[in-house]
Amino acid sequence: MKHLFPICALSILVALPVHAEEDTGKSLMEQGAELFFEGLRQEMEPALEDLQGLVSQFGPAMQSFFEEMGPALAEMAGEIEDWSAYEVPEMLPNGDIIIRKKPPQDQPETPEQPEDEDGATEI
């Protein structure tokens, strides 16, 4: 019984620092990550505010555009099977937009050069 009291006292003294470490909360890695992300948020705040202003400025115009043009664009998208078969859209000086179809792969784009009677190509 005399040995029981010092063993209990020693185990309590050993358990106190472990209990104290659990109460401190976050590890150094967690604290560093929080500080990093807080700094990142503070740096990005002006850019995000500008973006929010841009969205509030163009949002209603984009919404009305999609309300008016949405059905027509959906109909056109349903008719086109392969978007890679078309060239990049080209805007003419009068404002017209032309989307040309790419030439088929089996036909060469460059015109063939005339051959002589003996089959030699003239350079």
Side-chain angles (χ1 to χ4, degrees):
M1 194 71 158
K2 293 179 185 180
H3 293 35
L4 186 61
F5 182 71
I7 292 173
C8 290
L10 184 61
S11 64
I12 290 174
L13 289 175
V14 170
L16 282 176
V18 172
H19 182 67
E21 286 179 12
E22 292 174 4
D23 289 342
T24 58
K26 302 170 187 159
S27 69
L28 289 176
M29 289 296 288
E30 291 172 326
Q31 291 174 0
E34 282 184 4
L35 289 173
F36 172 75
F37 286 119
E38 179 64 25
L40 186 63
R41 186 191 64 78
Q42 289 175 356
E43 289 289 324
M44 293 298 297
E45 192 170 8
L48 291 174
E49 288 175 359
D50 291 344
L51 181 62
Q52 186 176 9
L54 188 66
V55 167
S56 66
Q57 180 183 359
F58 288 111
M62 291 301 292
Q63 183 177 1
S64 66
F65 172 78
F66 284 122
E67 285 174 357
E68 292 175 17
M69 296 300 295
L73 290 173
E75 182 180 329
M76 184 178 72
E79 291 180 15
I80 298 175
E81 295 174 6
D82 183 16
W83 287 97
S84 65
Y86 294 90
E87 297 284 343
V88 176
E90 178 184 343
M91 186 173 218
L92 299 178
N94 65 357
D96 291 348
I97 298 173
I98 297 176
I99 304 174
R100 293 187 172 93
K101 202 168 194 174
K102 291 181 180 177
Q105 295 294 336
D106 55 355
Q107 296 178 355
E109 289 186 38
T110 58
E112 294 183 21
Q113 295 182 359
E115 295 183 2
D116 288 342
E117 295 171 6
D118 59 349
T121 304
E122 190 176 317
I123 299 180

